[in-house]
Amino acid sequence: MKRAIISETPKHIGEKVKVSGWVQSCRSHGKLIFIDLRDKSGLLQVIFLPNLSGNILETAKKIRPEWVVEIIGIIKKREGNTENKNIETGAIELSVEEIKVLAEAKTLPFPIDDDGYQIKEEKRLKYRYLDLRRERMKNNLIVRQKAAIFIRNFLSDRGFLEIETPILTKSTPEGARDFLVPSRLQPGKFYALPQSPQQYKQLLMVAGIEKYFQFPHVFRDEDLRADRLFEHTQVDIEMSFIEQEDVFNLIETMITDLAEKIFNKKIQEKPFPRITHTEAMKKYKSDKPDLRKDKESGELAFCWVLDFPMFEVLEDGSIDAVHHPFTALADEGLKKFKAISVEELRSPQGKKELLGFKAKQYDLVLNGVEVMGGSIRTHESEVLKKTFEVLGHKPEAVKKRFGHILEAFEYGVPPHGGIAAGFDRLLQTILNEKSIRETVAFPTATSGITSVMDAPSSVSEDQLRELGIKIVKKD
Ligand code: ASP
């Protein structure tokens, strides 16, 4: 007999069906035993009548929550006022004829019939496969998929090509620490896990792809917080022959449709307001202003923040790119940037000058959270080279670390630009979830330990020897 999905059982009143799933709860009322059976699609009340054979009733009495069972029975309409309006199958029940226990289950370490927020993160992540049984988590995963399909179709329909880029790669500067992977074939050398596919997507523009997107996993070894993960998913986009305005148009349509059609949300202001970085800092003391008029109403307040400074000078005097070095300077400053030497720009006076250069960078902010960020890129290899040198890389180091992209730009590079969303964080903000981890199936805990599998873990002496690695205790 073919298994029926619980949500479809109301269509089978009077028929014999086979269902299988987990026991959500069991209770007895006098001589009647009830269980609520759960599968991916919903809940179904199952009733054991007292006239069933002794074996079946014995089994029914033994059953505990979260056991996995298969039941054959007849779908019946529930009597008069016993309907349960809260569940989809509330008008029916399954009257048992046969039952098979497929797996018993220990008592769960925590309840799963509530939202689970009160349970400690470590515990939820250690038993994530149980935590995901709760309705809220399942729905978050369902919505995540809907959002991903929507974005994938939206971009594909507009001629974007989805292309995967490598995970074992070379360090690319996004401002965080790299995760490194030792090479067995070249002991002493390391791959870096990508902080973003930034250089690959630009190389794809040199390759003539013109419109690229991907849902890459990216890795950043930084301090973990409620809205940060070591490993997160981006929606990464790059386009050729475009201006900032083209990015705004594309993204604004995509995000508006996503919020309204997939999440049924109201957007506070359309088109999204635009604020320069200077204005945002002056008026809101933040480059991620929260423009919500009413923080309780569930509305989404988007805004673009633009005209960021290109450089910042850190406390130790070093110079950094506010976004990343591939970002183009605003047209007004470009001539000046070209005219001043690297030495002058790195001098104390030059540093002051540097802070005045604006970049073609833009962020999309939602309710005070940066959900997307991108820029038009420098496509002149000389300017890119100079940017690296201004950031403090010696010419030889630039060649070693970035020679590949500088060389690529010598073979006909189209003007290009793009943007990336932190997909998990975007979902978190739209869903108004307390933590980015609520939108990811198996996230790393704030302590840095992975869900369920307890990595990082030690490796064998043999593995270390093969990689030419010796562990040195830190003081
Ligand atoms: N690579 C950038 C990031 O990950 C986004 C971009 O500039 O497209 O933030």
Side-chain angles (χ1 to χ4, degrees), residues 172-174 195-199 201-202 218 220 232 234-238 323-324 326-327 361-363 370 372-377 417-422:
T172 195
E174 289 281 356
Q195 290 188 34
S196 87
Q198 186 60 41
Q199 295 187 64
K201 66 174 175 173
Q202 293 194 241
V218 300
R220 298 179 185 188
H232 71 272
Q234 289 190 331
V235 183
D236 195 37
I237 296 171
E238 195 75 8
H323 189 44
H324 52 55
F326 306 100
T327 300
Q361 181 201 337
Y362 33 79
D363 281 357
E370 180 200 325
M372 295 186 101
S375 60
I376 301 298
R377 325 298 183 190
I419 193 161

Side-chain angles (χ1 to χ4, degrees), residues 335-376:
K335 232 174 147 181
K336 191 165 164 195
F337 184 75
K338 285 181 179 171
I340 313 178
S341 73
V342 173
E343 293 69 38
E344 274 177 83
L345 285 168
R346 286 185 59 75
S347 70
Q349 182 54 34
K351 281 183 186 168
K352 278 191 206 130
E353 192 91 65
L354 269 183
L355 295 178
F357 286 107
K358 294 268 185 266
K360 293 186 180 172
Q361 181 201 337
Y362 33 79
D363 281 357
L364 182 67
V365 174
L366 165 59
N367 298 353
V369 177
E370 180 200 325
V371 289
M372 295 186 101
S375 60
I376 301 298

Side-chain angles (χ1 to χ4, degrees), residues 310-311 319-321 325-327 329 333-346 350 353-354 357 378-395 398-399 402 405-406 409:
M310 176 72 199
F311 300 101
I319 302 163
D320 206 358
F326 306 100
T327 300
L329 286 158
L334 190 59
K335 232 174 147 181
K336 191 165 164 195
F337 184 75
K338 285 181 179 171
I340 313 178
S341 73
V342 173
E343 293 69 38
E344 274 177 83
L345 285 168
R346 286 185 59 75
E353 192 91 65
L354 269 183
F357 286 107
T378 299
H379 70 285
E380 290 175 66
S381 53
E382 278 312 309
V383 177
L384 183 56
K385 200 162 135 232
K386 185 163 182 178
T387 307
F388 286 127
E389 290 179 16
V390 167
L391 294 176
H393 300 277
K394 297 268 169 299
V398 171
K399 212 164 153 212
F402 305 107
I405 193 158
L406 294 168
F409 279 11

Side-chain angles (χ1 to χ4, degrees), residues 154-170:
F154 181 95
L155 293 171
S156 305
D157 289 348
R158 284 162 182 76
F160 283 78
L161 208 54
E162 184 171 7
I163 302 175
E164 289 169 83
T165 53
I167 294 293
L168 291 179
T169 178
K170 196 167 177 164

Side-chain angles (χ1 to χ4, degrees), residues 198-251:
Q198 186 60 41
Q199 295 187 64
Y200 285 113
K201 66 174 175 173
Q202 293 194 241
L203 293 171
L204 287 169
M205 297 302 107
V206 181
I209 295 301
E210 293 194 25
K211 288 174 163 190
Y212 141 97
F213 83 100
Q214 178 186 191
F215 284 86
H217 264 232
V218 300
F219 306 84
R220 298 179 185 188
D221 187 358
E222 49 193 358
D223 294 337
L224 297 174
R225 296 199 300 249
D227 67 344
R228 275 204 186 154
L229 295 165
F230 278 157
E231 176 182 354
H232 71 272
T233 305
Q234 289 190 331
V235 183
D236 195 37
I237 296 171
E238 195 75 8
M239 295 177 271
S240 295
F241 307 110
I242 48 113
E243 303 285 346
Q244 202 158 280
E245 203 58 42
D246 299 297
V247 180
F248 291 168
N249 285 338
L250 176 87
I251 297 303

Side-chain angles (χ1 to χ4, degrees), residues 22-24 38 65-68 103-139 141 438 440-443 451-453:
W22 287 259
V23 174
Q24 173 95 354
R38 181 186 78 239
E66 301 308 309
W67 284 28
V68 185
E104 297 186 7
K106 293 205 286 192
T107 305
L108 266 41
F110 44 66
I112 56 160
D113 57 357
D114 56 7
D115 61 26
Y117 289 122
Q118 77 290 358
I119 307 160
K120 269 195 155 160
E121 177 190 276
E122 269 162 51
K123 202 163 178 188
R124 282 181 62 201
L125 295 184
K126 177 168 185 319
Y127 296 102
R128 187 58 150 188
Y129 48 90
L130 300 178
D131 193 47
L132 292 177
R133 285 186 188 172
R134 76 180 75 250
E135 185 78 3
R136 179 177 66 83
M137 293 308 290
K138 185 183 72 185
N139 286 338
L141 295 182
E438 306 292 345
V440 180
F442 293 104
S451 302
V452 189
M453 301 220 190

